[in-house]
């Protein structure tokens, strides 16, 4: 009699690595309703970025701060179900455990029951080197990676506004000129999300074709249920009837401020290059992207 083969370290893993401000929070909120998809307490764990790019990403100080500022605040003594509190505290203990290694990451999904996939929507994972992906996939029974792109000019403007909003600097939107915006947007933590071509090269170079799906933000909202069905087919999970109320919601929206007329012109040469790199990887630029 043959013994059943043990699951690999990460078993079945679904990673969404879409660019920041490209619809990944909406996808997370909707797909979290699917009964075959298990999400940890944290949407963005950033473990693989910690493992392959920046070993300080999940240092003890940052994890303690996250627990104090986000996770513990989810516990409402008057309304929270006691089993939910126990569940959350168990997850928090695993999150604060050490060392931060593959088994640490796997243990963040220990509360998974019948769901097919452990799911992690960490946008920083888009910036892993190509050589990281075969190492990750070798530790998975099934690996599926979803990458989302958005009109680069609109994404840059949304990202800039959002960052200024969360850092309480919105007042500069009334005073900044072209040089100020150019300098701000070209900071690495913002600009690296615009380098779609580089991300695509690393993903396609490091993953087998059936492991990767690339979609556009604009296509998501042109046909939400159609795109969700495509993702379900990519994951080989049955279709689910997502509540319309959650699909109609918008998440992490930045303050509504019109883009200055000069803003697109700051990045014309960059966007032409990036669009060319996208096409070189076999993808057609959506017709409704900003013309450059």
């Amino acid at each position: 009699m043959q013994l059943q083969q043990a699951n690999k370290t990460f078993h079945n893993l679904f990673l969404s690595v879409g660019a920041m401000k490209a619809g990944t929070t909406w996808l997370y909120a909707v797909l979290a309703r699917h009964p075959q998809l298990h999400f940890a307490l944290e949407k963005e764990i950033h473990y693989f970025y910690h493992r392959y790019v920046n070993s300080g990403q999940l240092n003890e100080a940052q994890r303690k701060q996250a627990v104090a500022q986000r996770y513990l605040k989810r516990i409402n003594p008057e309304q929270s179900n006691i089993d939910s509190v126990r569940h959350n505290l168990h997850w928090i203990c695993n999150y604060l455990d050490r060392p931060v290694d593959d088994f640490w990451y796997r243990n963040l999904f220990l509360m998974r029951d019948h769901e097919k996939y452990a799911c992690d929507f960490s946008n920083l994972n888009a910036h892993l080197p190509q050589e990281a992906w075969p190492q990750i996939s070798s530790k998975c029974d099934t690996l599926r990676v979803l990458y989302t792109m958005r009109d680069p000019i609109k994404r840059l403007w949304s990202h800039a506004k959002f960052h200024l909003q969360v850092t309480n600097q919105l007042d500069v939107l009334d005073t900044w000129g072209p040089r100020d915006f150019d300098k701000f947007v070209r900071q690495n933590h913002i600009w690296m999300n615009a380098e779609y071509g580089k991300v695509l090269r690393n993903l396609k170079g490091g993953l087998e074709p059936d492991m990767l799906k690339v979609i556009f933000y604009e296509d998501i909202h042109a046909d939400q249920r159609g795109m969700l069905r495509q993702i379900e087919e990519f994951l080989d999970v049955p279709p689910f009837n997502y509540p319309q109320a959650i699909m109609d919601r918008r998440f992490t929206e930045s303050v509504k401020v019109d883009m200055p007329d000069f803003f697109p012109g700051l990045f014309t040469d960059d966007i032409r290059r990036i669009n060319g790199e996208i096409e070189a990887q076999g993808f057609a630029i959506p017709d409704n992207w900003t013309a450059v």
Side-chain angles (χ1 to χ4, degrees):
M1 182 178 67
Q2 289 185 332
L3 294 176
Q4 184 176 5
Q5 185 177 10
N7 293 329
K8 295 184 179 180
T9 304
F10 301 136
H11 192 25
N12 297 332
L13 188 60
F14 172 35
L15 303 177
S16 170
V17 302
M20 189 171 180
K21 308 304 294 180
T24 56
T25 301
W26 184 88
L27 284 171
Y28 161 77
V30 175
L31 289 171
R33 302 299 183 96
H34 198 292
Q36 289 295 309
L37 305 180
H38 172 82
F39 291 83
L41 194 61
E42 174 57 53
K43 166 181 171 267
E44 298 180 289
I45 300 170
H46 298 317
Y47 168 66
F48 295 116
Y49 189 80
H50 166 90
R51 170 73 174 78
Y52 295 102
V53 180
N54 177 11
S55 60
Q57 182 68 35
L58 290 167
N59 62 49
E60 291 187 10
Q62 289 189 350
R63 284 183 289 142
K64 288 187 293 184
Q65 184 179 44
V67 167
Q69 294 183 350
R70 295 204 299 275
Y71 310 138
L72 291 179
K73 289 183 178 180
R74 301 183 190 189
I75 300 173
N76 185 324
E78 297 181 356
Q79 298 181 8
S80 295
N81 177 279
I82 194 166
D83 292 323
S84 295
V85 173
R86 291 178 62 250
H87 178 283
N88 290 352
L89 290 175
H90 182 82
W91 187 89
I92 288 168
C93 287
N94 287 337
Y95 184 73
L96 292 176
D97 203 359
R98 52 183 180 250
V100 177
D101 57 14
D102 288 349
F103 298 103
W104 175 91
Y105 182 71
R106 182 193 64 185
N107 288 345
L108 297 183
F109 300 99
L110 280 179
M111 305 303 286
R112 179 169 153 208
D113 186 12
H114 61 280
E115 299 93 345
K116 180 174 182 177
Y117 285 94
C119 307
D120 180 1
F121 277 38
S122 300
N123 61 69
L124 289 180
N125 287 340
H127 310 294
L128 303 185
Q130 178 177 317
E131 58 268 21
W133 289 111
Q135 296 180 47
I136 296 169
S137 63
S138 71
K139 299 173 184 177
C140 298
D141 293 311
T142 303
L143 175 64
R144 294 293 181 264
V145 180
L146 179 70
Y147 182 55
T148 312
M149 293 180 283
R150 179 186 181 183
D151 179 319
I153 292 294
K154 293 179 180 178
R155 196 212 66 80
L156 281 169
W157 178 243
S158 179
H159 194 166
K161 289 189 301 175
F162 182 74
H163 187 80
L164 291 169
Q165 182 175 341
V166 298
T167 55
N168 298 313
Q169 300 179 77
L170 282 175
D171 56 305
V172 305
L173 291 173
D174 298 324
T175 60
W176 274 4
R179 183 175 299 179
D180 302 298
F181 277 111
D182 186 74
K183 180 179 179 181
F184 179 76
V185 168
R186 292 186 187 279
Q187 294 179 95
N188 185 59
H189 66 91
I190 294 178
W191 186 259
M192 68 180 187
N193 289 274
E195 291 290 346
Y196 300 155
K198 179 179 179 181
V199 173
L200 288 171
R201 288 192 296 273
N202 286 336
L203 290 172
K204 292 188 71 177
L207 294 168
E208 296 298 325
D210 65 337
M211 297 178 182
L212 175 65
K213 183 173 182 61
V214 177
I215 62 176
F216 294 95
Y217 170 94
E218 293 77 13
D219 291 338
I220 296 173
H221 295 296
D223 181 10
Q224 293 177 334
R225 292 193 183 275
M227 183 57 70
L228 290 167
R229 186 67 195 112
Q230 285 189 35
I231 294 171
E232 291 167 340
E233 291 173 351
F234 171 59
L235 300 175
D236 193 25
V237 296
F240 182 73
N241 185 23
Y242 304 94
Q244 190 62 44
I246 193 72
M247 296 179 65
D248 289 340
R249 289 184 62 187
R250 292 295 178 265
F251 303 87
T252 63
E253 282 191 307
S254 53
V255 63
K256 294 188 181 302
V257 178
D258 291 337
M259 182 190 303
D261 291 339
F262 60 75
F263 190 84
L266 299 174
F267 312 106
T268 299
D269 291 341
D270 301 284
I271 301 308
R272 284 176 179 163
R273 171 183 58 80
I274 292 167
N275 286 354
E277 292 175 357
I278 294 171
E279 292 175 329
Q281 292 300 316
F283 301 98
I285 302 299
D287 293 335
N288 55 359
W289 274 19
T290 302
V292 294

